[in-house]
Amino acid sequence: MADWGLVARSLMHSDAAGHWWRTLSMQDYNTRVVAAGVALLGAACGAVGAFMVLRRKALFGDAISHATLPGIGLAFILATAMGLPGKHLPILLAGAACTALVGMGVILLLRHRTRLPEDAALGIVLSVFFGAGVALLGVIQQMQGASAAGLESFIYGKTASMLAEDGRRIAICAAMLAAVCAMLFKEFRALCFDPAFARAQGWPVRALDAAMMGMVVAATVIGLQAVGLMLVVALLIVPPAAARFWTDDLRAMVLTSAALGAGSGVVGALWSAMEPNWPAGGVIVLVAAAAFIVSMLFGRARGVLHRFAAHLRLERRVDRQHVLRAMYEAGEQGREAAARSAADLARSGVVPPRRLARALAGLKREGALARLPDDRWILTPAGRALAARVVRNHRLWELYLIRYAAIAPTHVDRDADMIEHVLGHDMVAELERIMDSAGAQALHLESPHRIAPAGEGR
Amino acid sequence: MTWPWSIHTPPAGPEHAASAAVSIHDMTVAYHRKPVLWDVDLDIPEGRLVAVIGPNGAGKSTLIKAVLGLVKAVSGDVRIFGEPLERRRAWIGYVPQRESVDWDFPVSALDVVAMGLYREIGWFRRVRAPHRARSLDALTRVGMESFADRQISQLSGGQQQRVFLARALVQDARLYFMDEPLAGVDAATEQVIIRLLRELRDAGRTVVVVHHDLQTVQEYFDHVIMLNTRVVAAGPTAEVFHRDNLHKTYGGRLTLLEQAAQAVADTAGR
């Protein structure tokens, strides 16, 4: 036991560093238990929470976790009265699960039997059950011959008190939750996306709904000891919300969420083991929050930076198309040789002046534009073909919007290149026929709407 | 007011026409004590393209949902091809209103279409390659095969509607219920959907469509159900879709519509 610690200590000549080293390398049996338990807890909560977040029922977990407190108090009183050890954890957790299930039943009753808004129902269950729990703990304090000290630790959690058997219990529960998630994945996907359709197909939607809520109850109860009833809801909400930024696929989101939950759990538990003044529950939540912020910024599917970059790319592509269009139409109208200076283009307002230089440079790089010795720009043969296609597509879109679409232009796919995909070849052929017979000239002069300024895309 | 609280279940006797895809007998539906559908008696014949029309709040969607068991009827009996609903679920395809789901949900167009096969796949089993191939076929039928892997929020409204339609098609049902499939879609999507509806009808399927556009009823549908809490009229379009019934169905609201149309015509003519 002491050998590695001694080695580390002699290497680092410092007690504090030795403690850190021992914790990080998980040499203490207890540290390993705590880390493994909290990791599995985070994974289970992350997976179950993903479905709840997608159903917009994230706060259901909060109501459920608060509904565990009276169960803890009642279990303690009953066990003490029966002469059992009152603070035996499995007894307390069984009590917690009982009142959590009662709370779930009350929420379902309020939802289906009254016209009460869902958030009000959740708020009622949360506060009333928690209030009952606080009152019970007060009563227990005054009970004769019962040492109730420590029951409050379920409110904020006490990770350090976890034993090997606690870790095992969490592992078994988490494995069961993971198995149910995997088995009912397809059913849960249908339930979360379109419950009415699932019902119409004949799935027992209420039973599936109850199963999902029951999983939240299980995840919450096993999380009580580690992170406490106040904070366990964070593990149900924050990792799924973070995972959503990385992927547009449900399976990947559930797995990412589980991984983020597990990672937050391990990092938070180890941190708190190194710095005993930092309670694990709070640190775990802070680590999860850090993961959330990183995901929100850098997430590949819908992170802020990713969206900004996509927006910028779109803006630049639209700019380049506008320049091509302006050059091409200048040629069509027979303005001398279709060469235009940058100043001329800027005056015509096709692209905001500060973005013009970049658009011109980009087109030159693509080989669509060439610069004449007198600093004017001209379409290359390749650029001319490209411009012809862009102009054709834009005009077909405009014609389509005038002739056929009795709907807002925003309902149409804005990517002009995709016109055949969206409208179908028959429609495009028809539009081309109309455009040819009407003459191109008349069409682009009487454009009914300005092409949306760059950057108004979704 | 008397309430028909007792659920009365007649034997599947002579009152249920043998050739009817859907027989509704004496159905009343109420939301929070306010009746939405009163004493609906309907036979929907098999192999027709059927429109359900009526003003807002007339109970058009509710009729479909009650037939599908999504809302509870206070009273009434529904038979699907002569049998109770639960024994015929596999024969029914459903296209809910597009607004009824969250299009930000992390699934692809193909994932959504495959949901049409979930019942057939059954409990606990996964979606496998043959299911995906069939789903892709359904997407091809609505002209959306090149969007199979797109996340659904990246589709336009009309494309989303086509995905919903493909999800119903892949089920290969005998009876379809569609809730406003033509609401807010572009002209190209409308053409695709109408072509598919006709194909389904020609293949002997029964298609019941909640429809909002009175202008196209005669062109698109063989059979009309005109609804305003009660059934005002139901029958072949040529027989029941006329001025009298429209007035009974829409009441004063139709005259308002006509006045508006007249005003627009006047302005345009000036």
Side-chain angles (χ1 to χ4, degrees):
Chain A
M1 187 75 223
D3 46 357
W4 280 108
L6 274 177
V7 171
R9 230 175 270 190
S10 56
L11 278 175
M12 297 186 194
H13 305 287
S14 144
D15 276 1
H19 174 66
W20 278 46
W21 166 247
R22 244 179 43 194
T23 310
L24 279 183
S25 55
M26 294 199 219
Q27 286 172 38
D28 288 344
Y29 181 60
N30 209 46
T31 312
R32 282 206 296 272
V33 169
V34 170
V38 177
L40 290 166
L41 170 70
C45 285
V48 175
F51 294 108
M52 296 305 281
V53 165
L54 287 174
R55 298 192 70 193
R56 297 165 193 246
K57 294 191 188 300
L59 286 178
F60 173 79
D62 205 20
I64 287 304
S65 66
H66 283 77
T68 58
L69 192 59
I72 293 166
L74 283 174
F76 179 81
I77 293 173
L78 279 177
T80 310
M82 289 159 63
L84 296 167
K87 272 194 271 181
H88 188 49
L89 199 58
I91 293 176
L92 294 179
L93 292 185
C98 285
T99 48
L101 286 172
V102 172
M104 169 182 140
V106 173
I107 292 169
L108 285 174
L109 216 61
L110 289 174
R111 185 196 294 166
H112 293 308
R113 292 274 172 264
T114 73
R115 301 171 77 171
L116 206 62
E118 177 109 13
D119 53 348
L122 293 180
I124 288 170
V125 168
L126 185 152
S127 54
V128 171
F129 277 72
F130 189 64
V134 170
L136 273 176
L137 289 192
V139 171
I140 290 168
Q141 298 289 346
Q142 286 149 29
M143 268 170 62
Q144 295 283 322
S147 112
L151 284 190
E152 325 79 55
S153 73
F154 285 107
I155 297 178
Y156 295 114
K158 200 169 176 194
T159 316
S161 69
M162 276 173 62
L163 303 172
E165 59 171 293
D166 302 331
R168 259 202 303 281
R169 186 173 43 240
I170 291 179
I172 291 168
C173 280
M176 279 164 55
L177 288 176
V180 176
C181 274
M183 275 167 60
L184 290 177
F185 184 78
K186 163 174 113 284
E187 287 77 3
F188 281 170
R189 169 148 65 188
L191 172 70
C192 292
F193 175 63
D194 195 346
F197 180 80
R199 179 79 199 86
Q201 266 199 337
W203 295 100
V205 163
R206 288 221 176 151
L208 284 170
D209 198 31
M212 196 180 279
M213 290 179 166
M215 292 168 74
V216 174
V217 170
T220 305
V221 168
I222 59 172
L224 284 181
Q225 188 190 16
V227 285
L229 63 87
M230 290 281 212
L231 293 177
V232 70
V233 67
L235 285 179
L236 286 166
I237 300 179
V238 181
R244 187 68 186 88
F245 288 111
W246 292 101
T247 174
D248 276 332
D249 177 70
L250 182 61
R251 189 185 306 273
M253 176 179 161
V254 170
L255 293 176
T256 310
S257 173
L260 286 174
S264 308
V266 172
V267 174
L270 288 183
W271 187 310
S272 138
M274 289 185 286
E275 300 284 350
N277 290 334
W278 292 59
V283 177
I284 289 171
V285 172
L286 288 178
V287 174
F292 174 81
I293 291 170
V294 170
S295 306
M296 188 178 69
L297 288 177
F298 301 106
R300 241 190 10 210
R302 21 179 75 198
V304 172
L305 291 181
H306 175 82
R307 289 194 145 185
F308 181 70
H311 178 89
L312 214 60
R313 274 197 302 276
L314 176 70
E315 185 178 274
R316 288 181 184 160
R317 202 182 66 203
V318 171
D319 280 356
R320 287 198 298 273
Q321 288 188 354
H322 284 177
V323 171
L324 281 179
R325 189 181 173 167
M327 299 290 294
Y328 185 81
E329 285 175 354
E332 267 186 334
Q333 286 160 22
R335 230 181 278 165
E336 35 160 318
R340 300 182 73 175
S341 69
D344 180 26
L345 279 169
R347 258 196 310 282
S348 67
V350 281
V351 170
R354 66 193 164 77
R355 298 210 303 257
L356 184 62
R358 183 184 290 276
L360 288 172
L363 286 167
K364 189 178 174 203
R365 227 179 9 257
E366 286 174 9
L369 284 185
R371 200 172 196 158
L372 295 174
D374 61 359
D375 247 12
R376 287 187 309 160
W377 295 85
I378 190 164
L379 286 168
T380 64
R384 216 180 146 65
L386 185 64
R389 218 184 70 222
V390 167
V391 169
R392 164 189 167 271
N393 281 343
H394 276 156
R395 287 190 193 152
L396 287 177
W397 270 124
E398 289 179 1
L399 188 58
Y400 172 70
L401 290 171
I402 301 167
R403 288 273 175 146
Y404 294 100
I407 49 156
T410 49
H411 280 215
V412 179
D413 196 311
R414 284 148 305 278
D415 193 339
D417 294 340
M418 302 288 281
I419 188 163
E420 279 93 350
H421 289 205
V422 179
L423 297 185
H425 289 284
D426 296 350
M427 174 62 79
V428 170
E430 168 74 4
L431 288 170
E432 281 177 330
R433 194 186 55 72
I434 293 173
M435 192 160 82
D436 290 343
S437 64
Q441 230 30 4
L443 268 164
H444 77 258
L445 290 177
E446 289 180 44
S447 172
H449 67 281
R450 230 162 56 76
I451 299 289
E456 275 184 13
R458 212 181 313 189
Chain B
M1 200 191 300
T2 52
W3 284 86
W5 288 116
S6 60
I7 296 183
H8 118 132
T9 318
E15 55 223 294
H16 289 289
S19 65
V22 184
S23 294
I24 303 169
H25 186 69
D26 219 5
M27 187 168 71
T28 295
V29 181
Y31 284 140
H32 308 299
R33 316 195 62 191
K34 190 168 163 277
V36 187
L37 289 174
W38 258 118
D39 289 343
V40 172
D41 264 296
L42 264 183
D43 278 324
I44 300 176
E46 194 178 350
R48 302 284 164 76
L49 205 42
V50 184
V52 180
I53 62 171
N56 287 335
K60 304 186 292 285
S61 293
T62 306
L63 178 70
I64 285 188
K65 287 179 181 161
V67 170
L68 291 169
L70 301 179
V71 298
K72 258 212 170 71
V74 178
S75 73
D77 179 61
V78 174
R79 298 282 159 141
I80 310 290
F81 296 106
E83 293 282 341
L85 171 70
E86 292 304 331
R87 298 181 54 179
R88 289 286 189 243
R89 285 231 184 249
W91 293 20
I92 303 175
Y94 176 43
V95 179
Q97 278 185 26
R98 187 159 55 82
E99 290 79 22
S100 65
V101 304
D102 170 18
W103 288 94
D104 243 357
F105 200 84
V107 286
S108 67
L110 192 75
D111 290 335
V112 173
V113 177
M115 284 179 196
L117 294 169
Y118 279 9
R119 197 65 265 208
E120 182 190 321
I121 295 170
W123 283 99
F124 310 129
R125 301 224 187 84
R126 289 138 121 310
V127 179
R128 295 188 182 283
H131 306 127
R132 273 193 287 274
R134 279 166 64 192
S135 305
L136 195 62
D137 282 348
L139 273 176
T140 310
R141 285 179 70 187
V142 297
M144 289 284 293
E145 68 278 12
S146 51
F147 296 86
D149 295 326
R150 288 269 192 107
Q151 199 261 325
I152 52 174
S153 70
Q154 296 167 14
L155 305 175
S156 73
Q159 294 170 337
Q160 291 173 346
Q161 191 66 60
R162 292 195 220 178
V163 170
F164 258 21
L165 199 68
R167 180 176 68 171
L169 288 178
V170 77
Q171 229 179 305
D172 201 17
R174 282 182 63 175
L175 169 63
Y176 285 98
F177 291 98
M178 306 189 181
D179 204 341
E180 303 238 16
L182 297 173
V185 302
D186 53 284
T189 298
E190 181 157 338
Q191 294 312 315
V192 169
I193 293 178
I194 288 300
R195 199 191 67 226
L196 277 166
L197 296 187
R198 288 181 174 147
E199 277 176 30
L200 288 171
R201 187 251 333 261
D202 295 344
R205 314 301 160 89
T206 310
V207 187
V208 181
V209 178
V210 172
H211 193 58
H212 61 286
D213 183 6
L214 295 179
Q215 311 254 335
T216 50
V217 170
Q218 284 167 302
E219 186 190 342
Y220 293 161
F221 297 97
D222 326 318
H223 196 94
V224 187
I225 296 166
M226 301 169 87
L227 200 67
N228 193 346
T229 310
R230 295 161 189 274
V231 177
V232 175
T237 310
E239 288 171 27
V240 300
F241 190 77
H242 53 65
R243 210 174 175 75
D244 272 5
N245 280 338
L246 280 169
H247 266 283
K248 278 191 221 155
T249 311
Y250 287 84
R253 271 167 283 197
L254 188 69
T255 30
L256 274 180
L257 280 176
E258 281 172 341
Q259 281 167 11
Q262 193 59 44
V264 171
D266 288 349
T267 332
R270 211 178 292 154

